[in-house]
């Protein structure tokens, strides 16, 4: 959820013309990560949980892509993006470890 909060903070001063474009896309991708983890956790089976964790991984990659695009479009600084990409990397490692743990149990 921290990444979602940071996505909203990052995009709050982006051009209004992007409100329904990249701003919306990056916010939706970030919130989708936490939402899919939560939804999967609430399911009745390990298989469903793993599937939702994989969807969260996809949303994480989507967020990273939008973030890189925001730098190319000069909406975000490279320093901001690098800091968030580091968080994404850590979150991705946690997701992969959780999926492996569920598979092994």
């Amino acid at each position: 959820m921290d990444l979602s909060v940071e996505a909203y903070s990052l995009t709050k001063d982006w051009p209004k013309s992007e409100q329904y474009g990249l701003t919306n896309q990056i916010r939706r991708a970030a919130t989708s990560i936490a939402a899919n983890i939560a939804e999967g956790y609430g399911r009745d089976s390990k298989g469903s949980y793993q599937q939702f964790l994989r969807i969260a991984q996809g949303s994480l990659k989507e967020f990273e892509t939008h973030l890189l695009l925001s730098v190319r479009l000069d909406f975000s600084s490279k320093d901001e993006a690098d800091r968030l990409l580091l968080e994404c990397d850590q979150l991705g490692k946690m997701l992969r470890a959780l999926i492996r743990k569920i598979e092994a149990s």
Side-chain angles (χ1 to χ4, degrees), residues 57 60-61 64 86-100:
Q57 284 180 312
L60 179 62
K61 292 302 178 187
E64 291 172 350
L86 182 59
E87 287 186 38
C88 289
D89 185 57
Q90 293 169 345
L91 181 54
K93 288 176 183 176
M94 288 188 279
L95 283 169
R96 286 188 298 279
L98 182 54
I99 291 168
R100 281 194 304 270

Side-chain angles (χ1 to χ4, degrees), residues 11-22:
T11 59
K12 71 178 179 186
D13 294 326
W14 284 8
K16 293 296 178 203
S17 62
E18 284 300 316
Q19 182 175 3
Y20 300 106
L22 193 57

Side-chain angles (χ1 to χ4, degrees), residues 37-105:
I37 293 168
E39 187 171 352
Y41 183 77
R43 295 292 171 136
D44 291 337
S45 73
K46 290 191 306 184
S48 290
Y49 190 20
Q50 288 175 302
Q51 181 61 26
F52 277 93
L53 291 174
R54 287 185 181 102
I55 293 168
Q57 284 180 312
S59 295
L60 179 62
K61 292 302 178 187
E62 182 180 353
F63 176 83
E64 291 172 350
T65 301
H66 294 322
L67 184 59
L68 292 169
L69 180 58
S70 77
V71 172
R72 288 185 179 197
L73 295 170
D74 292 323
F75 296 160
S76 302
S77 72
K78 182 158 177 14
D79 289 341
E80 283 177 308
D82 286 345
R83 183 181 58 78
L84 288 175
L85 288 169
L86 182 59
E87 287 186 38
C88 289
D89 185 57
Q90 293 169 345
L91 181 54
K93 288 176 183 176
M94 288 188 279
L95 283 169
R96 286 188 298 279
L98 182 54
I99 291 168
R100 281 194 304 270
K101 184 166 179 81
I102 293 168
E103 286 173 347
S105 65

